[in-house]
Amino acid sequence: MNLTMKMSLAAFACLVCVGANAQEKKYPEQERMRPGMSEYWTPQPKVVTPGDIKTNTAPSDAIVLFDGKDLSAWEGAKGGPAEWDVHDGVFTVNKKKGDILTKQSFENFQLHIEWCVPENITGTSQGRGNSGVFLQDMYEIQILDCYNNETYVNGQTGSVYKQTPPLANAMRKPGEWNVYDIIYTAPVFKEDGTYRVPPRVTVIQNGVVLQNNTTILGTTEYIGFPKVKKHGAGKIRLQSHGDPSEPISFRNIWIREM
Ligand code: MG
């Protein structure tokens, strides 16, 4: 056997060897799925005792911001105590005293807040029961008497003020209580101060969705377009609007941090 023959033989043997290996190699068969393979048990969600709708109590893990007694969870926006008028288990805006803010700051939350436009309300458009809930003291969800009262749609009840109109007008009549449930996801900022993830909000009024996970574009300016301003945890602000109409009232306010 000369050298060429020997080399050819070796190459053939090697090919056979590779072919044999490719055929013989076995991988494990995929295990048959059983129901338990896609079920997990921990961590268990915390147990929350729901509030009682009849007695207006908050869920057991909520921070109560107003339970009908006092404004100790709030402060004046200009400093000092919150000086709106507490009476009959509710409180009423005192327009001479300016806005009020929670003492505590929040990140992501679920906020429950009830508000009532007085039965004898007067005024039109934005000058009729105007107030507002500012999320993280930056972004206003409008409060306004929009019962038979037209205004610019991105300024009506449940709008992200001057940005996104509500999906519906779910107002109760003046003299009846309106309920807001607001679910808010705080923004995440880049180092340059712009949004990496913008803030988002869901607003439900009287069981009707007004904002469905809406992206907030920036601050809710009265004049001009939204501004993006870097911020951290923030307070809830209630607006004392300068319109001349009769002041609105609030009750049963609680917040759950998420
Ligand atoms: Mg307002």
PDB file of all heavy atoms in Angstrom, residues 57-83:
ATOM      1  N   THR A  57     -65.165  52.713  54.074  1.00  0.00           N
ATOM      2  CA  THR A  57     -63.856  52.447  54.673  1.00  0.00           C
ATOM      3  C   THR A  57     -62.870  52.063  53.584  1.00  0.00           C
ATOM      4  O   THR A  57     -63.251  51.600  52.506  1.00  0.00           O
ATOM      5  CB  THR A  57     -63.937  51.330  55.723  1.00  0.00           C
ATOM      6  OG1 THR A  57     -64.644  50.230  55.164  1.00  0.00           O
ATOM      7  CG2 THR A  57     -64.628  51.797  56.982  1.00  0.00           C
ATOM      8  N   ALA A  58     -61.587  52.271  53.869  1.00  0.00           N
ATOM      9  CA  ALA A  58     -60.533  52.032  52.890  1.00  0.00           C
ATOM     10  C   ALA A  58     -60.050  50.584  52.975  1.00  0.00           C
ATOM     11  O   ALA A  58     -60.229  49.929  54.002  1.00  0.00           O
ATOM     12  CB  ALA A  58     -59.382  52.990  53.181  1.00  0.00           C
ATOM     13  N   PRO A  59     -59.398  50.075  51.926  1.00  0.00           N
ATOM     14  CA  PRO A  59     -58.757  48.757  52.021  1.00  0.00           C
ATOM     15  C   PRO A  59     -57.734  48.751  53.164  1.00  0.00           C
ATOM     16  O   PRO A  59     -57.190  49.806  53.524  1.00  0.00           O
ATOM     17  CB  PRO A  59     -58.051  48.611  50.667  1.00  0.00           C
ATOM     18  CG  PRO A  59     -58.769  49.536  49.755  1.00  0.00           C
ATOM     19  CD  PRO A  59     -59.242  50.672  50.595  1.00  0.00           C
ATOM     20  N   SER A  60     -57.467  47.567  53.708  1.00  0.00           N
ATOM     21  CA  SER A  60     -56.678  47.495  54.944  1.00  0.00           C
ATOM     22  C   SER A  60     -55.252  48.017  54.777  1.00  0.00           C
ATOM     23  O   SER A  60     -54.644  48.458  55.744  1.00  0.00           O
ATOM     24  CB  SER A  60     -56.645  46.056  55.465  1.00  0.00           C
ATOM     25  OG  SER A  60     -56.130  45.185  54.467  1.00  0.00           O
ATOM     26  N   ASP A  61     -54.695  47.994  53.581  1.00  0.00           N
ATOM     27  CA  ASP A  61     -53.304  48.453  53.424  1.00  0.00           C
ATOM     28  C   ASP A  61     -53.230  49.889  52.884  1.00  0.00           C
ATOM     29  O   ASP A  61     -52.157  50.360  52.513  1.00  0.00           O
ATOM     30  CB  ASP A  61     -52.528  47.516  52.495  1.00  0.00           C
ATOM     31  CG  ASP A  61     -53.062  47.522  51.069  1.00  0.00           C
ATOM     32  OD1 ASP A  61     -54.233  47.932  50.855  1.00  0.00           O
ATOM     33  OD2 ASP A  61     -52.316  47.120  50.164  1.00  0.00           O
ATOM     34  N   ALA A  62     -54.352  50.579  52.831  1.00  0.00           N
ATOM     35  CA  ALA A  62     -54.354  51.944  52.282  1.00  0.00           C
ATOM     36  C   ALA A  62     -53.867  52.949  53.319  1.00  0.00           C
ATOM     37  O   ALA A  62     -54.027  52.741  54.526  1.00  0.00           O
ATOM     38  CB  ALA A  62     -55.755  52.309  51.822  1.00  0.00           C
ATOM     39  N   ILE A  63     -53.278  54.020  52.831  1.00  0.00           N
ATOM     40  CA  ILE A  63     -52.967  55.167  53.677  1.00  0.00           C
ATOM     41  C   ILE A  63     -54.175  56.093  53.575  1.00  0.00           C
ATOM     42  O   ILE A  63     -54.526  56.540  52.469  1.00  0.00           O
ATOM     43  CB  ILE A  63     -51.698  55.891  53.183  1.00  0.00           C
ATOM     44  CG1 ILE A  63     -50.499  54.942  53.265  1.00  0.00           C
ATOM     45  CG2 ILE A  63     -51.445  57.181  53.964  1.00  0.00           C
ATOM     46  CD1 ILE A  63     -49.304  55.406  52.448  1.00  0.00           C
ATOM     47  N   VAL A  64     -54.823  56.336  54.709  1.00  0.00           N
ATOM     48  CA  VAL A  64     -56.034  57.168  54.684  1.00  0.00           C
ATOM     49  C   VAL A  64     -55.603  58.636  54.696  1.00  0.00           C
ATOM     50  O   VAL A  64     -54.882  59.077  55.589  1.00  0.00           O
ATOM     51  CB  VAL A  64     -56.948  56.832  55.874  1.00  0.00           C
ATOM     52  CG1 VAL A  64     -58.139  57.771  55.917  1.00  0.00           C
ATOM     53  CG2 VAL A  64     -57.434  55.384  55.762  1.00  0.00           C
ATOM     54  N   LEU A  65     -56.039  59.376  53.679  1.00  0.00           N
ATOM     55  CA  LEU A  65     -55.658  60.786  53.572  1.00  0.00           C
ATOM     56  C   LEU A  65     -56.760  61.711  54.081  1.00  0.00           C
ATOM     57  O   LEU A  65     -56.512  62.878  54.361  1.00  0.00           O
ATOM     58  CB  LEU A  65     -55.320  61.125  52.112  1.00  0.00           C
ATOM     59  CG  LEU A  65     -54.110  60.371  51.534  1.00  0.00           C
ATOM     60  CD1 LEU A  65     -53.949  60.675  50.041  1.00  0.00           C
ATOM     61  CD2 LEU A  65     -52.823  60.737  52.275  1.00  0.00           C
ATOM     62  N   PHE A  66     -57.969  61.189  54.167  1.00  0.00           N
ATOM     63  CA  PHE A  66     -59.052  61.936  54.824  1.00  0.00           C
ATOM     64  C   PHE A  66     -60.157  60.961  55.196  1.00  0.00           C
ATOM     65  O   PHE A  66     -60.721  60.295  54.340  1.00  0.00           O
ATOM     66  CB  PHE A  66     -59.614  63.029  53.916  1.00  0.00           C
ATOM     67  CG  PHE A  66     -60.703  63.836  54.569  1.00  0.00           C
ATOM     68  CD1 PHE A  66     -60.430  64.675  55.649  1.00  0.00           C
ATOM     69  CD2 PHE A  66     -62.024  63.734  54.135  1.00  0.00           C
ATOM     70  CE1 PHE A  66     -61.443  65.403  56.264  1.00  0.00           C
ATOM     71  CE2 PHE A  66     -63.041  64.463  54.742  1.00  0.00           C
ATOM     72  CZ  PHE A  66     -62.742  65.296  55.814  1.00  0.00           C
ATOM     73  N   ASP A  67     -60.439  60.893  56.486  1.00  0.00           N
ATOM     74  CA  ASP A  67     -61.462  59.951  56.958  1.00  0.00           C
ATOM     75  C   ASP A  67     -62.673  60.684  57.517  1.00  0.00           C
ATOM     76  O   ASP A  67     -63.480  60.108  58.238  1.00  0.00           O
ATOM     77  CB  ASP A  67     -60.871  59.006  58.005  1.00  0.00           C
ATOM     78  CG  ASP A  67     -60.446  59.743  59.272  1.00  0.00           C
ATOM     79  OD1 ASP A  67     -60.583  60.988  59.326  1.00  0.00           O
ATOM     80  OD2 ASP A  67     -59.979  59.077  60.218  1.00  0.00           O
ATOM     81  N   GLY A  68     -62.787  61.980  57.206  1.00  0.00           N
ATOM     82  CA  GLY A  68     -63.955  62.727  57.670  1.00  0.00           C
ATOM     83  C   GLY A  68     -63.689  63.579  58.887  1.00  0.00           C
ATOM     84  O   GLY A  68     -64.539  64.380  59.276  1.00  0.00           O
ATOM     85  N   LYS A  69     -62.491  63.400  59.497  1.00  0.00           N
ATOM     86  CA  LYS A  69     -62.259  64.100  60.773  1.00  0.00           C
ATOM     87  C   LYS A  69     -61.415  65.365  60.643  1.00  0.00           C
ATOM     88  O   LYS A  69     -61.789  66.431  61.115  1.00  0.00           O
ATOM     89  CB  LYS A  69     -61.605  63.146  61.765  1.00  0.00           C
ATOM     90  CG  LYS A  69     -62.531  61.988  62.146  1.00  0.00           C
ATOM     91  CD  LYS A  69     -61.959  61.188  63.308  1.00  0.00           C
ATOM     92  CE  LYS A  69     -62.822  59.968  63.596  1.00  0.00           C
ATOM     93  NZ  LYS A  69     -62.458  58.805  62.751  1.00  0.00           N
ATOM     94  N   ASP A  70     -60.244  65.244  60.017  1.00  0.00           N
ATOM     95  CA  ASP A  70     -59.350  66.406  59.972  1.00  0.00           C
ATOM     96  C   ASP A  70     -58.420  66.320  58.766  1.00  0.00           C
ATOM     97  O   ASP A  70     -58.372  65.296  58.092  1.00  0.00           O
ATOM     98  CB  ASP A  70     -58.534  66.517  61.265  1.00  0.00           C
ATOM     99  CG  ASP A  70     -57.698  65.284  61.493  1.00  0.00           C
ATOM    100  OD1 ASP A  70     -56.859  64.969  60.630  1.00  0.00           O
ATOM    101  OD2 ASP A  70     -57.892  64.597  62.522  1.00  0.00           O
ATOM    102  N   LEU A  71     -57.669  67.394  58.567  1.00  0.00           N
ATOM    103  CA  LEU A  71     -56.751  67.464  57.425  1.00  0.00           C
ATOM    104  C   LEU A  71     -55.302  67.270  57.878  1.00  0.00           C
ATOM    105  O   LEU A  71     -54.383  67.871  57.312  1.00  0.00           O
ATOM    106  CB  LEU A  71     -56.922  68.810  56.708  1.00  0.00           C
ATOM    107  CG  LEU A  71     -58.225  68.946  55.902  1.00  0.00           C
ATOM    108  CD1 LEU A  71     -58.420  70.384  55.418  1.00  0.00           C
ATOM    109  CD2 LEU A  71     -58.225  67.994  54.714  1.00  0.00           C
ATOM    110  N   SER A  72     -55.112  66.397  58.869  1.00  0.00           N
ATOM    111  CA  SER A  72     -53.758  66.226  59.416  1.00  0.00           C
ATOM    112  C   SER A  72     -52.800  65.585  58.414  1.00  0.00           C
ATOM    113  O   SER A  72     -51.587  65.683  58.579  1.00  0.00           O
ATOM    114  CB  SER A  72     -53.817  65.407  60.708  1.00  0.00           C
ATOM    115  OG  SER A  72     -54.481  64.189  60.463  1.00  0.00           O
ATOM    116  N   ALA A  73     -53.307  64.937  57.367  1.00  0.00           N
ATOM    117  CA  ALA A  73     -52.427  64.342  56.349  1.00  0.00           C
ATOM    118  C   ALA A  73     -52.025  65.369  55.285  1.00  0.00           C
ATOM    119  O   ALA A  73     -51.295  65.043  54.356  1.00  0.00           O
ATOM    120  CB  ALA A  73     -53.110  63.149  55.699  1.00  0.00           C
ATOM    121  N   TRP A  74     -52.510  66.614  55.430  1.00  0.00           N
ATOM    122  CA  TRP A  74     -52.335  67.631  54.391  1.00  0.00           C
ATOM    123  C   TRP A  74     -51.650  68.878  54.957  1.00  0.00           C
ATOM    124  O   TRP A  74     -51.682  69.117  56.168  1.00  0.00           O
ATOM    125  CB  TRP A  74     -53.696  68.026  53.812  1.00  0.00           C
ATOM    126  CG  TRP A  74     -54.427  66.868  53.210  1.00  0.00           C
ATOM    127  CD1 TRP A  74     -55.140  65.901  53.880  1.00  0.00           C
ATOM    128  CD2 TRP A  74     -54.490  66.521  51.817  1.00  0.00           C
ATOM    129  NE1 TRP A  74     -55.647  64.985  52.982  1.00  0.00           N
ATOM    130  CE2 TRP A  74     -55.259  65.336  51.718  1.00  0.00           C
ATOM    131  CE3 TRP A  74     -53.970  67.100  50.649  1.00  0.00           C
ATOM    132  CZ2 TRP A  74     -55.528  64.723  50.483  1.00  0.00           C
ATOM    133  CZ3 TRP A  74     -54.246  66.490  49.437  1.00  0.00           C
ATOM    134  CH2 TRP A  74     -55.005  65.316  49.352  1.00  0.00           C
ATOM    135  N   GLU A  75     -51.106  69.664  54.059  1.00  0.00           N
ATOM    136  CA  GLU A  75     -50.513  70.946  54.450  1.00  0.00           C
ATOM    137  C   GLU A  75     -50.839  71.973  53.373  1.00  0.00           C
ATOM    138  O   GLU A  75     -51.168  71.621  52.237  1.00  0.00           O
ATOM    139  CB  GLU A  75     -49.000  70.802  54.636  1.00  0.00           C
ATOM    140  CG  GLU A  75     -48.278  70.370  53.376  1.00  0.00           C
ATOM    141  CD  GLU A  75     -46.849  69.922  53.626  1.00  0.00           C
ATOM    142  OE1 GLU A  75     -46.438  69.835  54.793  1.00  0.00           O
ATOM    143  OE2 GLU A  75     -46.158  69.663  52.625  1.00  0.00           O
ATOM    144  N   GLY A  76     -50.735  73.249  53.747  1.00  0.00           N
ATOM    145  CA  GLY A  76     -50.972  74.307  52.769  1.00  0.00           C
ATOM    146  C   GLY A  76     -49.822  74.375  51.778  1.00  0.00           C
ATOM    147  O   GLY A  76     -48.668  74.153  52.142  1.00  0.00           O
ATOM    148  N   ALA A  77     -50.143  74.691  50.508  1.00  0.00           N
ATOM    149  CA  ALA A  77     -49.079  74.769  49.501  1.00  0.00           C
ATOM    150  C   ALA A  77     -48.110  75.913  49.793  1.00  0.00           C
ATOM    151  O   ALA A  77     -46.964  75.897  49.366  1.00  0.00           O
ATOM    152  CB  ALA A  77     -49.692  74.940  48.113  1.00  0.00           C
ATOM    153  N   LYS A  78     -48.600  76.918  50.556  1.00  0.00           N
ATOM    154  CA  LYS A  78     -47.717  78.048  50.883  1.00  0.00           C
ATOM    155  C   LYS A  78     -47.036  77.824  52.236  1.00  0.00           C
ATOM    156  O   LYS A  78     -46.459  78.755  52.807  1.00  0.00           O
ATOM    157  CB  LYS A  78     -48.533  79.339  50.940  1.00  0.00           C
ATOM    158  CG  LYS A  78     -49.171  79.711  49.602  1.00  0.00           C
ATOM    159  CD  LYS A  78     -50.179  80.853  49.786  1.00  0.00           C
ATOM    160  CE  LYS A  78     -51.045  81.024  48.561  1.00  0.00           C
ATOM    161  NZ  LYS A  78     -52.336  81.674  48.888  1.00  0.00           N
ATOM    162  N   GLY A  79     -47.146  76.612  52.769  1.00  0.00           N
ATOM    163  CA  GLY A  79     -46.589  76.307  54.085  1.00  0.00           C
ATOM    164  C   GLY A  79     -47.657  76.366  55.152  1.00  0.00           C
ATOM    165  O   GLY A  79     -48.731  76.940  54.931  1.00  0.00           O
ATOM    166  N   GLY A  80     -47.388  75.767  56.287  1.00  0.00           N
ATOM    167  CA  GLY A  80     -48.357  75.754  57.377  1.00  0.00           C
ATOM    168  C   GLY A  80     -49.441  74.705  57.161  1.00  0.00           C
ATOM    169  O   GLY A  80     -49.416  73.964  56.174  1.00  0.00           O
ATOM    170  N   PRO A  81     -50.408  74.675  58.068  1.00  0.00           N
ATOM    171  CA  PRO A  81     -51.447  73.653  57.979  1.00  0.00           C
ATOM    172  C   PRO A  81     -52.401  73.882  56.807  1.00  0.00           C
ATOM    173  O   PRO A  81     -52.516  75.000  56.303  1.00  0.00           O
ATOM    174  CB  PRO A  81     -52.194  73.777  59.315  1.00  0.00           C
ATOM    175  CG  PRO A  81     -51.885  75.150  59.808  1.00  0.00           C
ATOM    176  CD  PRO A  81     -50.564  75.552  59.246  1.00  0.00           C
ATOM    177  N   ALA A  82     -53.059  72.806  56.392  1.00  0.00           N
ATOM    178  CA  ALA A  82     -54.101  72.908  55.364  1.00  0.00           C
ATOM    179  C   ALA A  82     -55.323  73.529  56.016  1.00  0.00           C
ATOM    180  O   ALA A  82     -55.822  73.024  57.014  1.00  0.00           O
ATOM    181  CB  ALA A  82     -54.425  71.517  54.824  1.00  0.00           C
ATOM    182  N   GLU A  83     -55.795  74.646  55.433  1.00  0.00           N
ATOM    183  CA  GLU A  83     -56.864  75.395  56.100  1.00  0.00           C
ATOM    184  C   GLU A  83     -58.171  75.402  55.325  1.00  0.00           C
ATOM    185  O   GLU A  83     -58.902  76.368  55.361  1.00  0.00           O
ATOM    186  CB  GLU A  83     -56.390  76.828  56.365  1.00  0.00           C
ATOM    187  CG  GLU A  83     -55.232  76.869  57.356  1.00  0.00           C
ATOM    188  CD  GLU A  83     -54.835  78.292  57.682  1.00  0.00           C
ATOM    189  OE1 GLU A  83     -54.336  78.983  56.761  1.00  0.00           O
ATOM    190  OE2 GLU A  83     -55.019  78.691  58.836  1.00  0.00           O
TER     191      GLU A  83
END
